[in-house]
Amino acid sequence: ASTLLYVEHNGEGAVAPATLSAAAAANQHLPGQLEALVCGSGDTVKRAAEAAARLPGVSKVWLASDASLAHPLAETHAHLLSSLATKQKPSHVLAASTAQGRNVLPRAAALLATQPVTDVVKIVDDNTFVRPIYAGNAFATVQYRPPPAIRVVTVRPTAFPLDQTAAAAAAGSSAASPAAPVEPVPPELLAPLAGLPAAKWESADVRSTGRPELGSAKVVVCGGRALKSAENFAMLEQLADLLGGAVGASRAAVDAGYVANDLQVGQTGKVVAPDLYIGVGISGAIQHLAGMKDSRTIVAINNDGEAPIFSVADYGLEADLFKAVPELIEAVKKAKQQ
Amino acid sequence: MKVLVAIKRVIDYAVPVRVRPDKAGVEALLPKLSMNPFCEIALEEAVRLKERGVAAEVVAVSVGPPHFQDTLRTALAMGADRAVHVPLTAEVVALQAAAAAGGGEGGAGAGGAAAAASSESPLQPLGVARVLAALAGREGAGLVLLGKQAIDDDCNQTGQMLAGLLGWPQATFASKLELELGGKGSGGGAAAAAAAARVTREVDGGLEVLSLPLPAVVTADLRLNTPRFVTLPAMMRAKKRPIESAPLESLGLSPADVAPALALLRVEEPPARAAGTRVGGVEELVRRLREEARVL
């Protein structure tokens, strides 16, 4: 048994935090060696492969460098992932359940004629997995029967916390585990990629806020429609920055145009499970709760004492947010100084 | 150009579900089934393509138990030109029951299969993707539109798997779709032939724009459009229109091709959260976050 990990990396050669969680899931719950596949082109992919080689538990890194892999297109990435899996015959092909993992892995699974298991929150054994259904209102335990040669799995990053070595590796610290060997994938696997009918990458509008990524942040401050304007969200940004956290929003706030769509937390947006979630002016529609109720500590600030979010909040503060949030900012500043 | 739209029937998004006491599945608190919201968005986009003269025909397809035809009627009422239903034979349902009952929890598993046969589709995404691939080939579709995921099993797989099986380009999580026109359509009648699809996708951290040579597969995210309201007269007219039945064998598929690979062992409630407390003010909140929760 062995696992082939599909590595996601950013434009600067660093391994995505979500991939670190997937590696941790493999180390803790899947048998056999862990090999990683890093796809991309140029210097970036080389640096990402070197970073992946220092991930705890990784015994080998496959480096796939080709112009057709420069952008994470499902067509080329899934093709390469499936052809490497066919050659190496791992028992599991694994990725994080991010936008990229969800885009690439099912396609690779189809090429391997395997039904994938996506968004896994618990690995029971080699063939048995727990995953949320109905927006997290129920958890299904599913089992491959009979077991296929290759199991294709994506794991929800928030369900598999990093150990300290992984966190050190993520930070690029040399105190992390020693580097595993990096080997280029056989050229015959790259050759077919150029001829594939594939999407052409045109552009991306990915805003860098300097804040942690919403899906993996330790602190998330979410705002609802009660914030009343885009300008008022600055208050939440200030609070998030003080706490080293990310800013999120309810669907109502996104639809009202206060923030960009990628900040939406909920059933159809991002699922977050930070150590600390602070919901400001959020009533707690079931679709929003589905995206945050696995957070470790939940704080709700709302002037409506009947708001449903209070039923999941560890600490509920019934107050006017325009008074409470500035007070909270000052109190956190003071607490930080102590 | 012909556009194929895949449709799934699910428990209505507004109806709360709870885990059944025998843990074999969930039950809806109200017996209301509807078109999966993301499928509805995909269909709306297809109908708009036809209204703009880019699509020549919109074909809605659904794979599942007989009652899925009700949702195909809604699709016709929304503007689909044709509806194709791929019925599940008793043999397929039996395969599902066998998979569900195969373990040491036979009773619960068999119950789950019975429930699945009565209200939900027992198929899994690979099986559905195989059916859709066969239909896309038969229809000569230039574009297949699907929802990004169904709100019952939340798999988020079918579109990607279909694109993989067909070897077509894919764009998942679309929030904007524009078709770039080429010359006059050869097989598309009055509609001009589309050369490529320009899709804006929602990715982690922002948006990405892809250009897809056709034929291609696109899956719809929430912000692609707001589906139209289906009027009663449209619904009445749709009731009189035929729904084509396309059995698996007619598509060159066998029950084994759509047999489930995963057995559902059990369904459980999410872990309950302990009841929280109200705090009197910001000062108390900060103190307790530091001292009790230790998150500050």
Side-chain angles (χ1 to χ4, degrees):
Chain A
S2 64
T3 298
L4 180 60
L5 174 70
Y6 172 72
V7 174
E8 202 175 316
H9 53 94
N10 68 2
E12 283 116 45
V15 173
T19 296
L20 301 174
S21 298
N27 283 329
Q28 288 158 29
H29 305 285
L30 291 174
Q33 294 211 313
L34 176 62
E35 298 189 350
L37 169 64
V38 184
C39 299
S41 73
D43 272 355
T44 318
V45 70
K46 265 190 211 144
R47 284 205 302 277
E50 282 157 20
R54 285 193 300 273
L55 292 180
V58 168
S59 60
K60 181 175 192 171
V61 172
W62 292 99
L63 170 62
S65 182
D66 191 76
S68 69
L69 299 167
H71 297 288
L73 296 175
E75 295 86 345
T76 52
H77 281 227
H79 192 278
L80 182 68
L81 179 58
S82 68
S83 60
L84 184 63
T86 305
K87 185 174 179 296
Q88 293 302 110
K89 303 185 171 57
S91 56
H92 296 80
V93 170
L94 185 72
S97 183
T98 56
Q100 188 176 332
R102 290 197 300 254
N103 190 38
V104 171
L105 266 272
R107 185 175 177 116
L111 298 176
L112 294 165
T114 298
Q115 168 62 46
V117 186
T118 43
D119 212 15
V120 165
V121 294
K122 189 178 169 197
I123 299 172
V124 180
D125 63 41
D126 287 18
N127 291 306
T128 316
F129 307 91
V130 180
R131 56 183 306 278
I133 56 173
Y134 290 94
N137 284 309
F139 285 83
T141 305
V142 295
Q143 185 172 63
Y144 278 114
R145 205 179 277 171
I150 300 174
R151 302 145 190 85
V152 180
V153 178
T154 69
V155 291
R156 185 180 277 197
T158 52
F160 297 93
L162 303 187
D163 56 24
Q164 295 207 326
T165 0
S173 158
S174 53
S177 41
V182 176
E183 188 178 323
V185 299
E188 65 266 25
L189 298 189
L190 297 176
L193 299 179
L196 290 177
K200 197 165 104 259
W201 189 89
E202 295 215 329
S203 64
D205 176 14
V206 175
R207 284 161 291 270
S208 175
T209 57
R211 295 190 189 93
E213 208 270 312
L214 189 53
S216 52
K218 293 233 177 307
V219 177
V220 172
V221 181
C222 267
R225 188 151 45 192
L227 265 291
K228 290 198 177 111
S229 74
E231 290 71 37
N232 288 334
F233 257 83
M235 211 161 58
L236 301 192
E237 286 165 6
Q238 197 187 345
L239 180 59
D241 289 344
L242 267 176
L243 298 167
V247 173
S250 68
R251 184 179 170 189
V254 172
D255 285 350
Y258 301 164
V259 292
N261 62 276
D262 57 300
L263 295 191
Q264 184 183 325
V265 169
Q267 180 175 7
T268 53
K270 294 242 164 57
V271 175
V272 301
D275 291 341
L276 174 61
Y277 165 98
I278 303 177
V280 178
I282 283 185
S283 65
I286 187 150
Q287 287 82 359
H288 183 76
L289 298 185
M292 48 60 76
K293 66 184 174 181
D294 292 332
S295 305
R296 197 151 68 85
T297 299
I298 297 176
V299 173
I301 301 173
N302 202 303
N303 61 1
D304 173 11
E306 303 294 312
I309 195 162
F310 284 122
S311 68
V312 300
D314 299 288
Y315 302 102
L317 175 60
E318 189 180 333
D320 175 6
L321 72 94
F322 292 102
K323 264 184 68 187
V325 174
E327 272 179 49
L328 184 55
I329 289 170
E330 288 314 309
V332 171
K333 272 187 193 161
K334 218 155 78 189
K336 292 261 164 188
Q337 281 161 6
Q338 281 168 19
Chain B
M1 182 182 65
K2 199 183 279 192
V3 180
L4 204 66
V5 186
I7 304 288
K8 187 176 185 183
R9 191 171 216 223
V10 297
I11 296 172
D12 188 88
Y13 77 95
V15 174
V17 297
R18 69 170 167 227
V19 171
R20 285 167 31 165
D22 64 4
K23 297 191 175 180
V26 300
E27 58 194 2
L29 298 188
L30 288 167
K32 188 177 181 213
L33 296 163
S34 301
M35 190 184 298
N36 177 48
F38 292 103
C39 301
E40 206 176 353
I41 295 169
L43 177 61
E44 173 68 32
E45 196 67 17
V47 173
R48 290 186 190 185
L49 289 176
K50 177 155 189 222
E51 288 166 349
R52 288 206 296 270
V54 190
E57 189 180 28
V58 175
V59 184
V61 303
S62 195
V63 198
H67 68 85
F68 273 41
Q69 290 189 14
D70 295 356
T71 299
L72 282 174
R73 298 233 174 261
T74 310
L76 290 170
M78 275 180 71
D81 296 297
R82 283 198 289 131
V84 181
H85 177 230
V86 180
L88 294 183
T89 56
E91 204 179 349
V92 172
V93 176
L95 279 171
Q96 167 72 16
E105 298 165 66
S118 66
S119 69
E120 297 166 60
S121 167
L123 293 184
Q124 288 168 1
L126 179 59
V128 175
R130 282 178 174 148
V131 173
L132 294 175
L135 277 166
R138 189 192 82 170
E139 297 284 339
L143 179 67
V144 184
L145 276 165
L146 305 89
K148 71 164 179 177
Q149 71 190 64
I151 60 161
D152 50 5
D153 59 25
D154 286 335
C155 275
N156 192 338
Q157 299 167 357
T158 308
Q160 296 90 308
M161 298 186 81
L162 170 64
L165 293 178
L166 290 167
W168 290 3
Q170 75 182 52
T172 48
F173 323 139
S175 62
K176 192 175 179 195
L177 169 65
E178 299 158 289
L179 289 185
E180 290 158 11
L181 297 182
K184 268 291 186 196
S186 48
R198 197 162 182 275
V199 180
T200 304
R201 308 176 56 224
E202 300 198 356
V203 296
D204 290 337
L207 301 169
E208 178 183 79
V209 181
L210 299 178
S211 173
L212 280 68
L214 299 178
V217 175
V218 175
T219 77
D221 213 321
L222 195 63
R223 275 166 279 273
L224 184 59
N225 60 50
T226 306
R228 68 196 63 196
F229 182 73
V230 178
T231 62
L232 190 60
M235 203 63 213
M236 296 307 285
R237 281 195 299 277
K239 279 202 196 310
K240 295 192 188 107
R241 290 168 60 190
I243 290 175
E244 183 200 339
S245 177
L248 288 175
E249 310 80 68
S250 74
L251 299 169
L253 295 166
S254 73
D257 291 321
V258 298
L262 294 163
L264 179 63
L265 298 190
R266 61 190 161 268
V267 174
E268 290 163 302
E269 297 273 357
R273 286 193 81 92
T277 56
R278 299 287 171 108
V279 293
V282 167
E283 201 181 325
E284 185 193 344
L285 175 64
V286 170
R287 181 175 57 76
R288 293 180 68 176
L289 285 177
R290 296 191 80 182
E291 293 170 8
E292 286 174 13
R294 298 178 181 279
V295 285
L296 282 187

